[in-house]
């Protein structure tokens, strides 16, 4: 899973990136300090892995991972070359979802590029820059396709879809609101890799004081939540400054610190949960003496395709899968005991993998 972190300058974007990845992106109180995208890969927090690893005395523990890309701050007019222009766009096009950091805190010591804190205005600024960029991409592609489409029905259909997308974007709406007539058209729209077709997760960056009630008393946060509900996006509340402070603490002290603040999870936990929800992802597990590992798949994926995440041979030669629920396995005390209780099931090619399944694949190639 690859997430792009975007936002206006000085909204806490690089602070958040640093706290999540400990990658040390430069932070200064002025725009465009992050000129080249910073990339960090972090493990997905999953307490089940350590328990399973202990259960099997595994030699290796491998969590699922998330790749974060921290992209230079945008300003109004970026699509026309203002600020850093279009340098950031290629990087965003490669991500699965966009994490849009929105400033929801007041601090006279940290300048705002537009002079005041207004999250809805900031969201609009970024959204319009993405729309303008998508329009540019579509217009270039339409120009290239015009002639060939005259003698190709399939290309003509695609051309008409692109023209409909242009009209939608020009009305100020995002590509993800486009209503495709059929699955083929939907797949084509996704293949265009438009920025405004990507799922969005809003990170409402607040002061530490607003964390205890999850931003309920912060009008800026409420405005972002109302916008996101209409937009079909996710929102999570975070204090990037606090997250940065947490990263210097050992894990046990970190949890105690969060508990003292009345919090049950870190900002990274919130972001991962929001990412999995909006992208429709789940995790299944494999475990044994050699390795305990988490695998990220799309919700609704069947056993052979899930096996293919490990190796293409597993999918190609899939025979069946031994499946046991994670909690049932641990409660049984051993795999053999779980099997004796009838908790280990043999599933075929039509089995839909569930969150927390511990799986052993049988295949032949």
């Amino acid at each position: 899973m690859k997430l792009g972190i975007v936002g206006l300058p000085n909204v806490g974007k690089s602070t958040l990136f640093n706290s999540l990845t400990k990658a040390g992106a430069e932070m200064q109180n002025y725009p465009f300090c992050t000129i080249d995208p910073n990339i960090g890969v972090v493990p997905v927090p999953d307490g089940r892995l350590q328990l399973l690893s202990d259960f099997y005395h595994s030699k290796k523990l491998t969590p699922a991972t998330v790749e974060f890309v921290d992209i230079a701050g945008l300003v109004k007019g970026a699509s026309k070359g203002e600020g850093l222009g279009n340098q950031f766009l290629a990087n965003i096009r490669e991500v699965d979802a966009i994490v849009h950091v929105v400033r929801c805190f007041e601090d006279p010591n940290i300048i705002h590029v537009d002079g005041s804190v207004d999250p809805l205005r900031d969201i609009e600024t970024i959204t319009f820059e993405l729309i303008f960029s998508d329009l540019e991409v579509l217009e270039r592609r339409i120009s290239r396709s015009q002639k060939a489409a005259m003698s190709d029905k399939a290309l003509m259909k695609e051309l008409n879809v692109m023209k409909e997308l242009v009209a939608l974007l020009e009305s100020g709406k995002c590509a993800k609101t486009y209503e495709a007539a059929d699955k083929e058209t939907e797949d084509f729209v996704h293949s265009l890799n438009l920025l405004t077709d990507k799922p969005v997760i809003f990170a409402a960056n607040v002061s530490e004081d607003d964390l205890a009630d999850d931003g309920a008393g912060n009008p800026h946060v409420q405005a972002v939540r109302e916008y996101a509900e209409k937009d079909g996006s996710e929102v999570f509340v975070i204090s990037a400054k606090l997250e940065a402070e947490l990263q210097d603490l050992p894990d046990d002290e970190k949890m105690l610190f969060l508990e003292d603040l009345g919090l049950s999870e870190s900002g990274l936990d919130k972001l991962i949960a929001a990412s999995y929800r909006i992208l429709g992802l789940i995790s299944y597990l494999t475990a044994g003496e050699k390795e305990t590992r988490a695998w990220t798949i799309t919700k609704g994926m069947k056993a052979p395709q899930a096996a293919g995440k490990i190796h293409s041979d597993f999918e190609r030669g899939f025979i069946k899968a031994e499946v046991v629920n994670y909690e049932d396995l641990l409660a049984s005390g051993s795999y053999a005991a779980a099997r004796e209780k009838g908790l280990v099931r043999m599933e075929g090619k039509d089995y839909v993998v569930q969150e927390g399944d511990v799986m052993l694949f049988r295949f032949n190639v």
Side-chain angles (χ1 to χ4, degrees):
M1 181 164 60
K2 193 172 184 179
L3 304 176
I5 302 178
V6 303
L8 290 171
N10 295 338
V11 296
K13 190 168 52 60
S14 291
T15 304
L16 176 61
F17 174 81
N18 281 356
S19 66
L20 295 177
T21 65
K22 304 181 186 178
E26 184 185 0
M27 291 178 295
Q28 297 293 341
N29 184 19
Y30 56 84
F32 315 131
C33 131
T34 310
I35 294 176
D36 295 315
N38 292 276
I39 297 174
V41 178
V42 301
V44 173
D46 191 339
R48 300 172 301 186
L49 283 178
Q50 188 60 59
L51 293 173
L52 267 181
S53 179
D54 294 342
F55 185 85
Y56 278 99
H57 305 292
S58 303
K59 295 176 182 176
K60 185 179 179 183
L61 189 155
T62 308
T65 59
V66 179
E67 183 173 326
F68 289 103
V69 183
D70 177 33
I71 296 159
L74 300 178
V75 292
K76 192 175 293 184
S79 60
K80 295 181 174 60
E82 293 296 324
L84 292 173
N86 291 330
Q87 289 184 31
F88 73 100
L89 295 178
N91 301 300
I92 298 182
R93 292 193 190 281
E94 297 168 4
V95 303
D96 300 307
I98 293 172
V99 180
H100 185 167
V101 183
V102 186
R103 179 171 170 176
C104 294
F105 65 90
E106 302 281 351
D107 187 338
N109 296 317
I110 300 178
I111 58 175
H112 189 290
V113 70
D114 287 328
S116 62
V117 177
D118 183 344
L120 294 187
R121 178 200 59 209
D122 295 353
I123 289 171
E124 184 179 78
T125 296
I126 296 288
T127 301
F128 276 124
E129 292 310 316
L130 301 183
I131 285 174
F132 293 147
S133 175
D134 282 348
L135 280 169
E136 188 178 315
V137 168
L138 284 169
E139 285 163 0
R140 282 202 306 267
R141 184 151 177 169
I142 287 170
S143 178
R144 291 198 305 267
S145 303
Q146 292 273 23
K147 189 173 181 180
M150 299 300 290
S151 57
D152 187 320
K153 285 185 178 180
L155 280 179
M156 181 58 75
K157 181 182 177 182
E158 292 180 356
L159 183 64
N160 290 332
V161 170
M162 288 190 288
K163 287 179 177 178
E164 289 171 0
L165 283 167
V166 167
L168 181 71
L169 293 168
E170 286 179 339
S171 72
K173 295 180 180 178
C174 293
K176 63 184 176 183
T177 65
Y178 179 78
E179 296 182 6
D182 50 51
K183 181 68 165 62
E184 183 184 359
T185 302
E186 183 181 336
D187 290 342
F188 170 67
V189 172
H190 292 326
S191 76
L192 294 170
N193 216 15
L194 299 174
L195 301 177
T196 61
D197 190 37
K198 296 184 182 297
V200 176
I201 303 163
F202 291 106
N205 189 13
V206 301
S207 67
E208 185 181 317
D209 295 339
D210 286 327
L211 281 177
D213 65 354
D214 202 33
N218 184 319
H220 296 315
V221 173
Q222 296 313 307
V224 174
R225 282 187 168 133
E226 289 171 12
Y227 178 92
E229 187 174 355
K230 295 174 185 174
D231 189 55
S233 301
E234 287 277 346
V235 181
F236 74 103
V237 175
I238 191 170
S239 170
K241 183 180 178 184
L242 175 66
E243 290 293 322
E245 294 170 359
L246 283 173
Q247 294 313 312
D248 296 327
L249 299 176
D251 287 343
D252 54 347
E253 290 183 29
K254 191 182 299 182
M255 289 311 300
L256 287 172
F257 191 53
L258 287 171
E259 287 172 11
D260 288 343
L261 293 171
L263 304 174
S264 59
E265 56 185 353
S266 70
L268 177 60
D269 295 331
K270 289 182 181 180
L271 175 52
I272 297 296
S275 304
Y276 271 61
R277 282 195 302 270
I278 203 163
L279 291 171
L281 303 175
I282 61 171
S283 293
Y284 77 86
L285 310 161
T286 54
E289 288 186 12
K290 287 185 178 179
E291 182 184 39
T292 291
R293 183 164 182 167
W295 303 87
T296 301
I297 61 169
T298 305
K299 191 180 293 183
M301 184 174 281
K302 293 184 178 180
Q305 289 71 49
K309 291 289 182 179
I310 299 176
H311 196 286
S312 58
D313 285 350
F314 282 32
E315 180 176 0
R316 188 157 48 92
F318 180 89
I319 300 172
K320 57 188 175 182
E322 291 187 23
V323 185
V324 60
N325 175 269
Y326 153 80
E327 291 181 346
D328 289 341
L329 175 59
L330 291 187
S332 298
S334 72
Y335 196 84
R339 179 180 279 141
E340 286 176 11
K341 293 177 181 178
L343 298 173
V344 178
R345 310 182 309 278
M346 303 303 293
E347 301 287 0
K349 293 182 178 181
D350 291 331
Y351 177 69
V352 176
V353 180
Q354 302 298 308
E355 172 68 47
D357 278 348
V358 179
M359 307 189 75
L360 174 64
F361 297 105
R362 299 192 181 279
F363 69 101
N364 182 34
V365 289

